Amino acid sequence: MAQGRRRGLDYTPLFMFLLSKVGRPWDEVFSEAVSRLDRREPIFWMVSLHRDGAEPYIAVSGSSYFSGLYVDEEGVLRKVDSALDETSLAPSCKCCTHTFNGKPFTRKFRQG
Ligand SMILES: [Zn+2]
């Protein structure tokens, strides 16, 4: 995997930024996020502008997961499923450290 990792491809700081803005007006969050980026696309990996079709979580790489976010009717940024956290998902392999919103999974890998 190290080979495919180019400078600028790690959007973890963006995703952590967006997470920290849950509950804030989307317009405000979006303009701040855009001002830090060279392109807008990665914002929408995590944020849906409508609840319909919004994913409860996103997998950024095989082992890095983040909450899915959406913008509610009042224009406020929300988590699709606020009950999801690092205790919710099981790792898909044994060799990698899986994280949810930057925190290591607490569940262990189980074969089959
Ligand atoms: Zn692995």
Side-chain angles (χ1 to χ4, degrees):
M1 271 310 280
Q3 252 185 339
R5 192 169 283 189
R6 284 189 285 130
R7 239 160 74 101
L9 271 188
D10 185 1
Y11 287 102
T12 299
L14 170 69
F15 300 139
M16 295 306 283
F17 166 79
L18 292 171
L19 267 180
S20 76
K21 298 296 179 182
V22 167
R24 307 286 307 163
W26 172 239
D27 287 351
E28 194 181 285
V29 177
F30 182 68
S31 7
E32 197 177 340
V34 161
S35 70
R36 299 165 171 223
L37 292 170
D38 51 348
R39 60 198 190 112
R40 298 173 174 205
E41 199 192 350
I43 296 173
F44 299 105
W45 295 345
M46 190 176 194
V47 180
S48 296
L49 295 180
H50 304 282
R51 176 97 204 218
D52 292 346
E55 302 289 342
Y57 62 86
I58 58 162
V60 178
S61 69
S63 56
S64 182
Y65 296 76
F66 290 92
S67 294
L69 307 179
Y70 74 100
V71 180
D72 74 9
E73 313 78 52
E74 268 127 44
V76 174
L77 188 62
R78 304 278 181 206
K79 281 187 187 176
V80 174
D81 184 351
S82 55
L84 274 183
D85 62 16
E86 70 279 8
T87 67
S88 307
L89 303 171
S92 54
C93 68
K94 208 157 111 178
C95 50
C96 308
T97 302
H98 289 65
T99 59
F100 193 87
N101 294 343
K103 293 181 196 155
F105 280 21
T106 57
R107 286 173 64 179
K108 300 284 176 244
F109 172 73
R110 275 173 53 184
Q111 203 93 41

